[in-house]
Amino acid sequence: MNIGIIGIGSFLPDNRVTNIDLEKRMDTSDEWIRTRTGIEARHLAESDVSVSDMATRAAERALQSAGVSIDEIEAIVCATATAPAFPATACVVQANLGAKAAVAFDVSAACSGFIFAMDTAKSLMDSKGFKKTLVIGAEKMGSLIDWDDRSTAVLFGDGAGAVVLGEDDIASIDSIVLGSDGTGGKHLYENDEGKIVMNGREVFKFAVRKMPEIVLESLNKADKSLNDLDVLVPHQANRRIIDAAMERLNLEEEKVVMTIQDHANTSAASIPLALAEAVKSGKIQDGQTVVIAGFGAGLTWGASCLTWNHATITEGNHS
């Protein structure tokens, strides 16, 4: 049997903040933000909503989607860079869900984190024989925003996405590629005041170069070519980065999932949120080849080529 995604869930806070809202609190404009980033709105969690709260909601929906009991989950791996250092968010989620049989821990690779977490969970399944695992990407990026820095404050949002990995004769994780370059960490980091600092020009150049590379590398590792690609789910960092990557790959827009306009950059939650949206909208169909790809602080990057079993995967209830 293949190891693949058998369930998916997502969660966005109710508090939707538009560019017009931001005009009222800082020196910016809707036009300035949209033309430079493609972002129109973002969801920001209230002060009493934690990363683990959002992660738990997304996980519940993923379990419902998969039709899996919490007692069947043997590992919970959560990607986050904005939760408290300890206890691990995955451990809080384990307690919230009552997942007594699951080993639980976090990984931190910023915006690439979900793919790192998925690779880690799959490795546990390969090495330890686990049958079902839960992978989460959850972030409260609003807690790191410096509202005096309009170049970064307009970019980020909060949310969580989760998938259940299990055995499936159609769905499969066909390849995963990962990488890091610590010498680039100076271009995107959290400062001593706990706020985001970014050299936008350098991050843009890195992302535009790296995104097409890892998409092709993940396809090649899966013995596939760009012609086989049906849907690309990129990290939602900046519309201009995604557009530049599409141009370099000569990839038509119809094949690319875009959620940045309403989600902004949710770091490790970005890819599972976009993947869930693609499932809900019907953009991903049965048997298609899907590539998820991300890059982030570290600097880190990761991509995975998937065969999707849309016929058995729908997102869990949002009630």
Side-chain angles (χ1 to χ4, degrees), residues 109-146:
C111 304
S112 311
F114 179 76
I115 299 174
F116 278 64
M118 193 171 74
D119 184 62
T120 302
K122 182 178 181 299
S123 296
L124 289 171
M125 297 173 77
D126 289 332
S127 65
K128 296 189 177 300
F130 291 171
K131 299 300 183 186
K132 293 180 177 64
T133 60
L134 182 60
V135 182
I136 307 167
E139 301 284 18
K140 192 174 182 178
M141 297 302 293
S143 65
L144 301 183
I145 288 175
D146 179 357

Side-chain angles (χ1 to χ4, degrees), residues 2-5 114-116 118-120 122-123 126 165 170-178 213-225 229 289-294 301-308:
N2 303 314
I3 294 174
I5 293 174
F114 179 76
I115 299 174
F116 278 64
M118 193 171 74
D119 184 62
T120 302
K122 182 178 181 299
S123 296
D126 289 332
L165 300 187
I170 298 176
S172 62
I173 300 171
D174 301 323
S175 71
I176 300 180
V177 296
L178 305 172
E213 287 181 5
I214 59 178
V215 169
L216 293 174
E217 185 180 354
S218 66
L219 285 164
N220 181 63
K221 191 173 179 181
D223 294 322
K224 297 184 179 183
S225 72
L229 178 62
T289 294
V290 179
V291 170
I292 58 176
W301 57 89
S304 177
C305 181
L306 313 170
T307 298
W308 195 262

Side-chain angles (χ1 to χ4, degrees), residues 40-306:
E40 299 173 14
R42 71 285 298 143
H43 295 254
L44 296 175
E46 302 291 354
S47 59
D48 61 346
V49 177
S50 67
V51 174
S52 58
D53 290 335
M54 294 186 286
T56 300
R57 293 292 295 278
E60 288 172 338
R61 292 167 180 171
L63 290 165
Q64 182 185 42
S65 167
V68 168
S69 162
I70 189 59
D71 295 331
E72 298 177 72
I73 298 297
E74 296 174 276
I76 302 172
V77 185
C78 181
T80 184
T82 55
F86 56 89
T89 295
C91 289
V92 180
V93 172
Q94 179 204 38
N96 290 344
L97 297 176
K100 298 178 181 179
V103 59
F105 58 94
D106 292 352
V107 300
S108 178
C111 304
S112 311
F114 179 76
I115 299 174
F116 278 64
M118 193 171 74
D119 184 62
T120 302
K122 182 178 181 299
S123 296
L124 289 171
M125 297 173 77
D126 289 332
S127 65
K128 296 189 177 300
F130 291 171
K131 299 300 183 186
K132 293 180 177 64
T133 60
L134 182 60
V135 182
I136 307 167
E139 301 284 18
K140 192 174 182 178
M141 297 302 293
S143 65
L144 301 183
I145 288 175
D146 179 357
W147 291 108
D148 293 325
D149 178 11
R150 74 169 186 171
S151 66
T152 59
V154 302
L155 298 177
F156 297 98
D158 303 336
V163 299
V164 176
L165 300 187
E167 293 181 332
D168 191 291
D169 59 357
I170 298 176
S172 62
I173 300 171
D174 301 323
S175 71
I176 300 180
V177 296
L178 305 172
S180 306
D181 177 9
T183 65
K186 60 188 176 184
H187 299 312
L188 181 55
Y189 61 94
E190 178 185 345
N191 66 16
D192 292 340
E193 287 74 45
K195 303 302 179 184
I196 298 168
V197 178
M198 181 173 68
N199 182 331
R201 183 181 299 273
E202 291 300 320
V203 172
F204 183 89
K205 289 193 298 184
F206 157 73
V208 168
R209 172 179 56 85
K210 186 57 66 175
M211 178 73 80
E213 287 181 5
I214 59 178
V215 169
L216 293 174
E217 185 180 354
S218 66
L219 285 164
N220 181 63
K221 191 173 179 181
D223 294 322
K224 297 184 179 183
S225 72
L226 193 59
N227 291 332
D228 298 310
L229 178 62
D230 295 303
V231 181
L232 172 63
V233 184
H235 167 47
Q236 308 289 309
N238 185 303
R239 175 63 190 257
R240 292 195 298 172
I241 292 173
I242 298 172
D243 286 345
M246 286 192 300
E247 183 177 353
R248 290 195 176 198
L249 290 167
N250 194 27
L251 196 64
E252 53 268 38
E253 186 172 337
E254 291 72 23
K255 289 189 173 184
V256 181
V257 176
M258 296 275 194
T259 59
I260 189 168
Q261 65 276 5
D262 193 53
H263 295 176
N265 182 347
T266 54
S267 191
S270 168
I271 288 174
L273 279 171
L275 193 60
E277 186 64 31
V279 170
K280 284 188 289 184
S281 68
K283 193 177 185 76
I284 298 176
Q285 296 295 320
D286 187 15
Q288 287 185 324
T289 294
V290 179
V291 170
I292 58 176
F295 54 86
L299 296 167
T300 62
W301 57 89
S304 177
C305 181
L306 313 170

